[in-house]
Amino acid sequence: MPQYFQPEIETASRDEIIRIQNEKIVKQVRHVYDNVAYYRDLMDKKGVKPEDIKGIEDIHKLPFLKKDDLRECYPYGLLATDLKDCVRIHSTSGTTGKRVVAFYTHHDIDLWEECCARAIVAAGGSNEDVVQVCYGYGLFTGGSGLDGGSHKLGCLTLPMSSGNTDRQIQFMMDLNATILCCTPSYAAFIAESLKERGYKPEDNKLKAGIFGAEPWTEEMRQQIEEGLGIKAYDIYGLTETSGPGVAFECSEQTGMHINEDHFYAEIIDPDTGEVLPEGEKGELVFTALDKEAFPLLRYRTRDICVLTRGKCSCGRTHVKMCKPMGRSDDMLIIRGVNVFPSQIETVLLNEGYSPNYMIYVDRKNNTDTLDIDVELSPERFSDNIADMQEMEKKLAAAMRTMLGIGPKIHLVPPKTIQRSEGKAVRVVDNRKLH
Ligand code: DLL
């Protein structure tokens, strides 16, 4: 069984990694400067020229990119190649209905799939495995990313996509799936569903799971491992940097190795932008060192994290990131979908409701729940229960269109939501994920 997908690079010496990064960053900055007017302007404003970047130690001279920049540049403003060289897009939800759209060339897809193949091998996978991918396929990166990695490694890939748990279980059992890829909450739900149908953990052939796209705790890991009789591995990534596989866990399960030959990671103080030393907690920033179509430089992820560079028993030398410890913005991840409270507010206002609302997020039976209390104006308030239920249904449908997931709406009488005298607290997240 292979220990690594690409042993030379995954176990390269520190000097070798820095040599590769030095070479790639110089080329990448030139590529971006020459092809992306928006970033060229940011560099010019900061007084930095491509010649100033002689190696990776100069990266701090470059300006940051934020999610707002991506929105401003929607859809083509950060594209660094001809559109005819792109073969795919993926996308993530965003506020005001504008999504982040990421572009990929053949080379970018190849690189991304390589990263995912590394993750599958690190979870004990080889071409003898049957990999059941139940991350969503489509615009979301989870399905395509793990599918591509599994394919590259030569595994038998079951492209299930998410949902339809009966069918997931039938294929898992009949086709002897050995590796499960999905969100941790869906993994826990599958475990529970197996139990309800009378299966014991030893009845399935699964040996490992590769779970990510949302925060999950060590307690949840233990519960999934016991429920499915597997070892559960974490995987991290974001649409802006390609998707899953930017970092992945190895057998040591003490953090995720970042694929440093493709992504350079920094930790910064989210308030000042100052780069923090190794081991300190701050916001994770990524630079894509060799992506062609959508090569973001110094992209602020908003994920709060710590990087460590200790020796790892798996033999990999790449730096490790801890599980993300929270976010420096207000983004919620609910059932794997990124949700900003401002999106909810936009729908309410569009539908003629007041901006008095409360968002409650919880996790029940391992599934995230989203409930929204919405205050009615006296004019809209009605004693007729059927009318109220109809309004709730209509609002829930509008929310589903904007967010990609359906909340439970509770219309409440006028003046029942507490007014705030300072910063309004509109979100109560009871999941205790961090
Ligand atoms: O969630 C990509 C992905 C798919 C990762 C499948 C892993 C598995 P986005 O939808 O753009 O991309 O969301 C990215 O999700 O900034 C984190 O806040 C969060 N996130 C991703 N992986 C993890 C993880 C995909 N393992 C955002 N633990 C990121 C905690 C995660 N949070």
Side-chain angles (χ1 to χ4, degrees):
M1 204 173 65
Q3 231 186 322
Y4 314 105
F5 182 62
Q6 290 160 312
E8 265 172 43
I9 187 63
E10 291 181 69
T11 62
S13 68
R14 186 84 205 104
D15 285 350
E16 177 59 6
I17 293 173
I18 293 173
R19 191 193 62 73
I20 292 171
Q21 291 177 334
N22 283 340
E23 217 172 81
K24 288 186 177 178
I25 190 70
V26 172
K27 270 202 212 148
Q28 187 69 311
V29 171
R30 170 55 70 190
H31 171 58
V32 173
Y33 191 83
D34 288 348
N35 294 293
V36 183
Y38 186 87
Y39 200 76
R40 178 163 63 241
D41 283 353
L42 290 182
M43 281 178 65
D44 288 346
K45 272 192 205 122
K46 217 172 173 244
V48 196
K49 292 281 169 228
E51 308 76 84
D52 298 330
I53 310 300
K54 300 194 170 65
I56 204 72
E57 74 283 357
D58 292 325
I59 201 165
H60 64 94
K61 296 179 182 162
L62 293 170
F64 291 116
L65 273 175
K66 301 204 213 59
K67 214 170 193 122
D68 282 346
D69 295 307
L70 269 61
R71 289 196 189 110
E72 201 170 311
C73 291
Y74 173 89
Y76 298 123
L78 291 168
L79 185 63
T81 54
D82 281 349
L83 202 53
K84 73 167 171 38
D85 295 326
C86 296
V87 294
R88 177 100 65 83
I89 66 146
H90 281 283
S91 173
T92 179
S93 58
T95 50
T96 66
K98 268 197 187 171
R99 290 166 167 269
V100 168
V101 177
F103 297 85
Y104 304 70
T105 61
H106 270 303
H107 159 93
D108 296 336
I109 300 268
D110 225 38
L111 173 167
W112 175 28
E113 292 181 351
E114 239 171 60
C115 290
C116 288
R118 288 182 194 175
I120 298 173
V121 174
S126 73
N127 61 2
E128 293 184 10
D129 279 292
V130 179
V131 177
Q132 179 161 357
V133 183
C134 23
Y135 285 111
Y137 280 64
L139 287 173
F140 180 54
T141 55
S144 310
L146 269 308
D147 184 300
S150 164
H151 202 238
K152 217 174 193 79
L153 185 59
C155 309
L156 175 61
T157 311
L158 313 185
M160 304 297 297
S161 200
S162 53
N164 199 337
T165 308
D166 279 329
R167 192 176 59 187
Q168 301 283 5
I169 290 176
Q170 189 193 344
F171 274 77
M172 176 184 290
M173 291 302 178
D174 294 352
L175 296 174
N176 296 324
T178 52
I179 298 180
L180 181 67
C181 303
C182 58
T183 57
S185 42
Y186 195 49
F189 183 69
I190 290 178
E192 208 177 82
S193 308
L194 281 166
K195 195 172 171 197
E196 274 167 20
R197 288 162 178 73
Y199 290 110
K200 294 195 202 58
E202 57 274 22
D203 294 336
N204 71 64
K205 295 282 187 301
L206 291 174
K207 62 179 185 190
I210 303 178
F211 307 130
E214 63 184 8
W216 54 309
T217 56
E218 284 304 323
E219 293 72 33
M220 188 145 172
R221 183 196 318 257
Q222 206 181 335
Q223 194 188 340
I224 296 172
E225 289 190 334
E226 282 166 12
L228 291 173
I230 60 168
K231 199 158 166 165
Y233 296 84
D234 203 351
I235 185 165
Y236 171 90
L238 53 161
T239 315
E240 294 90 322
T241 56
S242 60
V246 170
F248 60 84
E249 235 174 16
C250 62
S251 51
E252 211 183 76
Q253 293 184 320
T254 53
M256 295 177 264
H257 290 285
I258 295 173
N259 283 308
E260 276 190 284
D261 51 327
H262 298 305
F263 302 101
Y264 183 77
E266 299 170 88
I267 293 286
I268 62 161
D269 177 325
D271 297 324
T272 63
E274 181 202 350
V275 180
L276 299 177
E278 187 196 316
E280 282 199 28
K281 184 166 132 185
E283 184 181 335
L284 190 53
V285 174
F286 280 114
T287 294
L289 292 171
D290 48 6
K291 278 176 63 190
E292 293 177 338
F294 200 64
L296 302 189
L297 305 183
R298 301 199 88 200
Y299 180 64
R300 293 184 57 163
T301 64
R302 295 286 176 191
D303 288 318
I304 301 295
C305 207
V306 175
L307 298 180
T308 46
R309 212 172 259 296
K311 201 167 157 37
C312 186
S313 61
C314 79
R316 286 178 184 76
T317 46
H318 294 204
V319 69
K320 276 187 193 172
M321 58 179 273
C322 67
K323 271 181 181 297
M325 304 157 93
R327 299 205 29 107
S328 65
D329 62 8
D330 58 354
M331 186 178 95
L332 298 158
I333 303 181
I334 304 170
R335 280 176 251 146
V337 177
N338 305 346
V339 174
F340 288 89
S342 55
Q343 289 174 292
I344 292 175
E345 192 165 308
T346 303
V347 177
L348 289 178
L349 296 172
N350 286 347
E351 297 289 315
Y353 290 90
S354 75
N356 295 313
Y357 59 95
M358 279 300 295
I359 301 169
Y360 297 95
V361 189
D362 209 338
R363 188 163 277 179
K364 289 179 189 141
N365 300 325
N366 295 310
T367 304
D368 292 335
T369 57
L370 171 62
D371 288 73
I372 308 173
D373 286 359
V374 180
E375 191 179 289
L376 285 167
S377 57
E379 304 80 59
R380 285 192 105 170
F381 187 66
S382 154
D383 286 340
N384 186 325
I385 293 183
D387 281 355
M388 296 285 274
Q389 282 174 340
E390 195 47 43
M391 282 163 74
E392 286 177 346
K393 240 171 87 185
K394 192 164 163 265
L395 188 53
M399 290 282 179
R400 176 181 279 282
T401 306
M402 170 68 119
L403 309 177
I405 55 166
K408 191 146 185 26
I409 303 285
H410 311 272
L411 294 177
V412 298
K415 298 267 179 293
T416 47
I417 289 189
Q418 202 184 356
R419 305 296 192 262
S420 131
E421 289 177 356
K423 250 181 190 299
V425 179
R426 302 206 186 280
V427 181
V428 179
D429 191 340
N430 286 318
R431 292 175 297 179
K432 307 206 171 42
L433 292 173
H434 302 293

